[in-house]
Amino acid sequence: SFFGSEWHKRWCILTQRSFLYFSSEKSKQPKGNFSIENYSARLNSQLRKDSRKKCSFELVCPGKRSYEFTAPSAAEAQDWVEQIQFLLKGE
């Protein structure tokens, strides 16, 4: 793609300890999942260079894969980050 990385649409579910992502809204099996334990969530407007940069957030954990997301709006990105942080406080 123009920016060097391609974004794919995913549908995500956050549970008490896991983050699951699906290739479509109707998918029965997740395309992937990971434990959010030891991860941190934060907004990151550096992930995108376009008009959706304020909608971007990431989950990071030292020594593990980082996950980057773009929500439909900046408010939804903030909500995802807050919900993940809330669950992580309960660890």
Side-chain angles (χ1 to χ4, degrees):
S1 79
F2 183 76
F3 296 113
S5 63
E6 194 172 323
W7 290 84
H8 300 282
K9 194 168 208 170
R10 299 287 183 248
W11 282 259
C12 303
I13 296 175
L14 179 64
T15 68
Q16 191 71 31
R17 295 272 178 252
S18 298
F19 195 100
L20 296 90
Y21 52 97
F22 299 80
S23 55
S24 79
E25 206 171 359
K26 298 184 186 334
S27 295
K28 301 265 189 262
Q29 294 294 323
K31 185 157 182 70
N33 67 76
F34 60 96
S35 169
I36 62 170
E37 186 178 0
N38 298 321
Y39 271 83
S40 62
R42 62 182 176 218
L43 295 172
N44 186 344
S45 63
Q46 302 300 311
L47 297 176
R48 294 184 70 123
K49 307 286 186 233
D50 61 10
S51 62
R52 306 214 33 222
K53 65 183 182 180
K54 294 206 183 300
C55 304
S56 299
F57 66 99
E58 63 185 347
L59 284 97
V60 294
C61 180
K64 292 189 178 180
R65 176 183 170 189
S66 294
Y67 295 87
E68 301 172 347
F69 298 95
T70 301
S73 70
E76 284 185 61
Q78 179 68 41
D79 192 43
W80 274 102
V81 169
E82 288 173 3
Q83 292 299 319
I84 294 165
Q85 288 173 340
F86 176 78
L87 289 174
L88 291 170
K89 281 182 191 167
E91 288 185 347

